[in-house]
Amino acid sequence: MLSKEVRSELLQIVGDKYFMDTENELYAYSYDSTPLFQSMPDAVVMPGSTEEIAAILKIANARRIPIVPRGSGTNLCGGTVPVEGGIVMNTNRLNKIREIDQDNLTASFGPGVITADLHAAVERLGLFYPPDPGSMRISTMGGNVAECAGGMRGLKYGVTKDYIMGLELVLPTGEILHVGGKNAKDVAGYDLTKLMVGSEGTLAVVSNITAKLLPLPETKRTMVAYYRSLTDAARTVQRVIAAKIIPATMEFLDQATMKVVEDFARIGLPCDMQAMLLIEQDGMEAQVERDIMRIEEIAYQEGAVEVRLAQTTDEANKLMAARRAALSALSRVKPTTILEDATVPRAHLAEMTEQVNVIAKKYNVQICTFGHAGDGNLHPTCMTDERDKEEIHRVEKAFEEIFHAAIKLGGTITGEHGVGIAKAGYLELKVGEAGIDLMKRIKAAFDPNGIMNPGKIFAKSDRRRVVVSKCECGHDETQHKHDDSKQSV
Amino acid sequence: MLSKEVRSELLQIVGDKYFMDTENELYAYSYDSTPLFQSMPDAVVMPGSTEEIAAILKIANARRIPIVPRGSGTNLCGGTVPVEGGIVMNTNRLNKIREIDQDNLTASFGPGVITADLHAAVERLGLFYPPDPGSMRISTMGGNVAECAGGMRGLKYGVTKDYIMGLELVLPTGEILHVGGKNAKDVAGYDLTKLMVGSEGTLAVVSNITAKLLPLPETKRTMVAYYRSLTDAARTVQRVIAAKIIPATMEFLDQATMKVVEDFARIGLPCDMQAMLLIEQDGMEAQVERDIMRIEEIAYQEGAVEVRLAQTTDEANKLMAARRAALSALSRVKPTTILEDATVPRAHLAEMTEQVNVIAKKYNVQICTFGHAGDGNLHPTCMTDERDKEEIHRVEKAFEEIFHAAIKLGGTITGEHGVGIAKAGYLELKVGEAGIDLMKRIKAAFDPNGIMNPGKIFAKSDRRRVVVSKCECGHDETQHKHDDSKQSV
């Protein structure tokens, strides 16, 4: 509970309209897209300017009140759940695209801008902002920066970090920093810009963003290849890269995922196949054509049963939409969908996928796998029922083993979703105790009082799983309330 | 002076052959490629393994002895001058390329690998490591990582930071961390890899490096365009980018630079011209041809007097070599060459170049400008004589104004050379007092005892200039010793 004094100070800063603390309002900010993590904040504020952010932070810092910066809350790691209460700071009002600089190929905008709106705005000018996380129609750029969002174009174009050139940020003290900028080269001191990207709201609040843009590729082609064997599909990915072709997108769906996607989207996927690859190449027409032909050749050489080139934009869009629907489709199958994010160096894709299957069999659990094959970024997804405690226990053991397998292959515990609270228990596997200690000291350099999104990244419990629960009362799953107590898991 | 005990401990770790502390040996490590900065170390060690690095750091950390990590010392910011004495740690023995992974498109190697050797090794396999700093035939990859080296291919391909995926590093405590790796996507905690790149040896010692590789472009074409006006050249750069063409290289030389380069290299530059652009495009042949034709068209539209396409690889190489010789050529003209590194968003190139000329006139000093036009990364270079105190004073005033001008245009004090000791006095201009304070706290998170390359990045004096002094005794300028005292400037 905030004191009367703090409440009135916050009200004075943002005004009546942008301060919320009724039970219903707090409820709406007690969860994000990571169901089963829920905790009530004490207040929600929606600052309208950098100065308001600074004023709020000063108050919170002086009184050691947690601040949870938040956009649309589409993250999958519990990253915006206010697990220690405090103030949720929704930055969605800062949603202006201030500038698209066609000479320097940069865009400057507030953290509240929706990712897809940025795409549309720059594409109208023939420019391109590549990162395209699954949630891009809802997610904000502030959230993308906080989580270092990835997407389907990571293979060729990289992730959010590769495009963020400058940030305005507000430290817990209320100090406003401008880091980076529009310079293609800049080595003036430590790179605070890249450090902020992926810091999950635990260091400072981002109040403005400058991103790098590219020329929009002239053309693109989309193709699918179907396989009787998972390994053939994975080997195709490897062979394409080894042939020195870097496609814009190389997505992978296994049979189980194909089946549920087909059931959901009805686009005629051949569900007797064991796997499919969805491949997109973009660029200059002659190059795209040549690459696509060579990829087709390699796919057949590696055992593809059928390779299909999308003949129209509409057909291409349908294929991409089907892939984008994979998680939604999977979450319809059983009451509880557990989604993970293990990532390996791309050459280990086949091995990792096989190990997921072996582990699933060993523990007798149902795991579908889809994801960004070109990045080695898998989304092994378990369909289960949280009410079956014995099965859930087996699921947990299975995922534990999947994580260890990824790490053994030189992989990581999270490729693009972030650590948040859902993966905090696994971080040590990747970075070791010394790595965690160092990261904690870096956090303290920004946030000595520990007010910035406390309880995230660094484990307080051994809770290690993202559990997507299917709501039984007819609500949309992200609206479902599981528990009223703080920090329910 | 090291105590007998420390000396014997170090000797035990690296052995007789790799411990140096005779007067001559210390002398050789008292300077780097940034003349006029010199200071004697107390010892030089050349560890042969990560474990030896750890053992040395433990001793130094316990006794608060400065550690200056160093490769070939080709930096231009005084970054490896042991300004507080202590131990210079030369990591050049760690010069193995451990692996070139053709499936994951990564290379893994020690910090002592020479940049050009890495280029050659990966290019033999049809792969590509783009960053190509001017010193690449001598510089080590450890040094490139420490300074976040740039080069001529920054416009299209980015800088060192964009290619470093993973590092093994040793903290002052001797703890060995593995950060990042071969994963195309990895958001497990704060990005310590990118934080280390460009940290100038002030945080930890890098003992192994994993870099991203690209497929080697199939072909490249080189062209030059000559201009009667600086502004026309700068406008060409802007128009090419606005036409959504991103050349691999867009280098700029003004008339004064052309003259001395021609005098040095005799390649037939038309020295009645005011400026030239050296442009290279690479990629698939059809695309390269189309881009080069369009660039030629734009160059003529913007007032180029002549555009010449290199007809042979040999001709192309000669043109590029001439550009690479610019600094050497300039430093022959007068006893003292003062080289700066102001960088602006690329659209401000014309404005910045004009301001450099106005400022040079105002202070009656001779400044040539060349550099990476596509990146807005200028190297305004002053030819003067350090014995003329009155002129040096005007030169200092001129550069002071150039830096302020760059910052006003949204630029930065250093694009690719690093802060070191030479630019420490300017850092606040770019990042502000709060930025410096935050960076100091981050340093303390890695290095609480302040043993890592002390005196760098953060100003202790207001010394702000890189002065390249021409040796009068016939030695190569980088071998010249200016002063025996510690921290001479």
Side-chain angles (χ1 to χ4, degrees), chain A residues 202-221:
Chain A
T202 63
L203 300 180
V205 176
V206 169
S207 52
N208 199 54
I209 301 165
T210 300
K212 172 182 168 177
L213 305 176
L214 297 178
L216 188 64
E218 292 169 28
T219 187
K220 64 180 171 187
R221 292 290 311 260

Side-chain angles (χ1 to χ4, degrees), chain B residues 315-355:
Chain B
E315 195 184 342
N317 288 344
K318 267 187 194 151
L319 285 167
M320 294 303 281
R323 160 61 188 88
R324 286 202 181 274
L327 175 57
S328 310
L330 286 168
S331 64
R332 295 166 76 221
V333 177
K334 281 210 181 179
T336 307
T337 306
I338 302 183
L339 170 75
E340 285 296 1
D341 190 24
T343 299
V344 291
R346 71 172 74 93
H348 293 306
L349 181 74
E351 213 171 332
M352 188 65 210
T353 311
E354 278 160 22
Q355 288 202 31

Side-chain angles (χ1 to χ4, degrees), chain B residues 209-376:
Chain B
I209 301 166
T210 300
K212 172 182 166 176
L213 304 175
L214 298 178
L216 187 65
E218 292 168 27
T219 189
K220 63 180 171 188
R221 291 291 312 257
T222 306
M223 66 189 278
V224 276
Y226 301 108
Y227 294 85
R228 282 216 189 81
S229 138
L230 271 170
T231 319
D232 291 350
R235 219 176 31 234
T236 300
V237 173
Q238 227 163 306
R239 278 274 324 276
V240 168
I241 307 278
K244 307 200 166 61
I245 303 170
I246 311 288
T249 293
M250 280 191 117
E251 295 293 310
F252 166 83
L253 284 79
D254 71 0
Q255 186 182 38
T257 312
M258 286 169 68
K259 278 183 181 164
V260 290
V261 166
E262 177 57 23
D263 190 45
F264 181 77
R266 304 276 171 210
I267 51 163
L269 298 180
C271 293
D272 53 325
M273 293 290 125
Q274 285 296 316
M276 63 177 271
L277 290 178
L278 177 61
I279 298 170
E280 204 163 75
Q281 181 58 309
D282 61 11
M284 186 201 186
E285 192 155 351
Q287 170 131 30
V288 169
E289 283 305 313
R290 193 182 67 176
D291 285 353
I292 285 287
M293 293 306 131
R294 286 170 68 189
I295 295 169
E296 184 181 22
E297 205 179 289
I298 291 168
Y300 277 124
Q301 280 167 8
E302 295 304 327
V305 176
E306 194 199 339
V307 180
R308 237 187 103 72
L309 302 185
Q311 295 307 317
T312 61
T313 309
D314 190 50
E315 195 184 342
N317 288 344
K318 267 187 194 151
L319 285 167
M320 294 303 281
R323 160 61 188 88
R324 286 202 181 274
L327 175 57
S328 310
L330 286 168
S331 64
R332 295 166 76 221
V333 177
K334 281 210 181 179
T336 307
T337 306
I338 302 183
L339 170 75
E340 285 296 1
D341 190 24
T343 299
V344 291
R346 71 172 74 93
H348 293 306
L349 181 74
E351 213 171 332
M352 188 65 210
T353 311
E354 278 160 22
Q355 288 202 31
V356 168
N357 289 342
V358 168
I359 293 166
K361 239 179 227 167
K362 175 175 166 190
Y363 291 99
N364 188 28
V365 294
Q366 190 189 351
I367 297 182
C368 294
T369 300
F370 65 98
H372 315 298
D375 305 327

Side-chain angles (χ1 to χ4, degrees), chain A residues 219-280:
Chain A
T219 187
K220 64 180 171 187
R221 292 290 311 260
T222 307
M223 65 189 277
V224 276
Y226 301 107
Y227 294 85
R228 283 216 187 81
S229 137
L230 271 169
T231 318
D232 291 350
R235 219 176 31 234
T236 299
V237 173
Q238 227 164 305
R239 278 275 325 276
V240 168
I241 307 279
K244 308 204 164 57
I245 303 170
I246 311 288
T249 293
M250 281 191 116
E251 295 293 310
F252 165 84
L253 285 79
D254 71 359
Q255 185 181 39
T257 313
M258 286 169 69
K259 278 183 180 163
V260 291
V261 166
E262 177 58 23
D263 189 46
F264 182 77
R266 304 275 170 211
I267 51 165
L269 298 179
C271 292
D272 54 326
M273 294 290 126
Q274 286 295 315
M276 64 178 269
L277 290 178
L278 178 61
I279 297 170
E280 204 161 75

Side-chain angles (χ1 to χ4, degrees), chain A residues 190, chain B residues 69 199-204 443 446-447 452-454 456-458:
Chain A
Y190 304 141
Chain B
S199 64
E200 306 191 18
T202 63
L203 301 179
K443 177 176 166 66
F446 281 80
D447 176 29
M452 294 304 306
N453 208 1
K456 307 301 166 57
I457 297 185
F458 309 110

